C-alpha cells in the first residue's frame, strides 16, 4: 500500500528500503520505483537511495493470515501493485525471522483506549508507540485510524526484534 485511505502517502516503500537497503537493486528497478512513487520528479534529479535515508525504517509488517501461511524461514517478497501489470518487487528478498500473533481492540471510540495484544501480552502505551513507528506509521493516531475496525492477524518480522 502506498497511500492511506485518506490519500496521504504511506512512504512504506521508502521505509522498507531504509531497513532492507537498496544497494543491491538493479538500476532498472530504481528507475521504475522513481516513476511509480515520485512521478513529479523529472530528469533523474530524484534518487531513491538519497530519499530512503530520510525515513525511519519499517522493520515488520502486520498482515491477516487466515491460512496460517507465515512462518519463520519463509521468503518475503516486497512488492507493490501485486497481481497487476505494474507489479514491481522493490526490495531484496528477505527471510521471515519470526511471527507473532497480534490483536488490536477498540473498546470505545477514544484512541487512549486502544488495546494491542501480542502473543497474549497487552502492550504498554510506550510499546504501542514503538510498534506503530516500527511498522511505518508516523504517530500512534495514524496507526489507530488504519486499524480502527479492530484487527486480528500476524506481526511478520524480518529483523530480530520481538515484542
Amino acid at each position: 500500500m502506498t497511500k492511506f485511505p485518506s490519500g496521504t502517502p504511506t512512504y512504506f516503500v521508502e521505509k522498507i528500503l531504509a531497513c532492507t537497503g537498496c544497494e543491491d537493486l538493479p538500476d532498472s528497478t530504481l528507475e521504475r520505483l522513481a516513476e511509480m512513487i515520485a512521478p513529479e520528479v523529472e530528469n533523474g534529479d530524484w534518487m531513491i537511495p538519497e530519499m530512503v535515508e530520510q525515513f525511519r525504517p519499517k522493520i515488520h509488517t502486520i498482515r491477516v493470515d487466515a491460512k496460517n501461511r507465515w512462518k519463520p524461514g519463509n521468503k518475503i517478497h516486497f512488492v507493490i501493485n501485486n497481481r497487476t501489470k505494474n507489479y514491481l518487487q522493490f526490495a531484496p528478498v528477505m527471510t521471515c525471522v519470526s511471527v507473532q500473533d497480534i490483536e488490536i481492540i477498540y473498546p470505545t471510540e477514544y484512541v487512549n483506549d486502544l488495546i494491542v495484544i501480542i502473543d497474549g501480552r497487552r502492550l504498554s502505551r510506550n510499546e504501542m508507540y514503538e510498534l506503530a513507528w516500527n511498522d511505518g506509521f508516523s504517530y500512534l493516531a495514524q496507526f489507530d485510524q488504519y486499524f480502527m475496525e479492530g484487527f486480528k492477524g500476524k506481526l511478520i518480522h524480518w529483523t530480530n526484534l520481538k515484542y
Side-chain angles (χ1 to χ4, degrees):
M1 172 175 80
T2 58
K3 292 189 177 182
F4 289 111
S6 65
T8 59
T10 62
Y11 298 109
F12 283 178
V13 170
E14 295 89 339
K15 291 172 182 180
I16 288 170
L17 285 172
C19 179
T20 64
C22 50
E23 51 281 336
D24 295 333
L25 294 175
D27 288 342
S28 60
T29 300
L30 293 173
E31 289 167 11
R32 281 192 63 207
L33 267 176
E35 290 170 8
M36 294 171 109
I37 62 177
E40 66 282 356
V41 178
E42 298 178 17
N43 304 324
D45 292 337
W46 185 83
M47 298 298 296
I48 297 279
E50 285 120 14
M51 175 114 178
V52 162
E53 291 174 10
Q54 300 175 34
F55 291 98
R56 179 185 172 122
K58 177 174 168 62
I59 61 173
H60 51 58
T61 192
I62 298 171
R63 293 281 181 264
V64 171
D65 190 20
K67 296 184 180 182
N68 204 27
R69 173 182 163 220
W70 286 103
K71 297 182 178 17
N74 285 11
K75 298 296 180 197
I76 302 171
H77 298 265
F78 298 98
V79 301
I80 52 176
N81 303 320
N82 197 24
R83 295 183 181 99
T84 73
K85 65 179 182 166
N86 293 322
Y87 170 95
L88 178 65
Q89 182 175 322
F90 65 85
V93 174
M94 300 286 287
T95 300
C96 175
V97 173
S98 66
V99 177
Q100 294 183 280
D101 293 321
I102 183 168
E103 185 172 6
I104 302 167
I105 304 166
Y106 293 90
T108 71
E109 70 271 11
Y110 300 106
V111 69
N112 289 338
D113 293 334
L114 171 69
I115 297 170
V116 178
I117 300 169
I118 297 180
D119 286 344
R121 186 180 71 81
R122 183 175 177 170
L123 298 188
S124 70
R125 193 90 181 137
N126 286 341
E127 288 172 314
M128 287 191 287
Y129 282 112
E130 182 182 356
L131 171 71
W133 289 326
N134 287 339
D135 205 57
F137 294 90
S138 298
Y139 42 89
L140 189 57
Q142 192 177 51
F143 177 88
D144 173 59
Q145 290 169 354
Y146 187 79
F147 292 105
M148 71 182 349
E149 301 299 318
F151 180 86
K152 196 168 190 172
K154 298 288 173 70
L155 181 57
I156 302 162
H157 297 275
W158 53 87
T159 71
N160 290 324
L161 176 78
K162 285 184 93 171
Y163 295 92

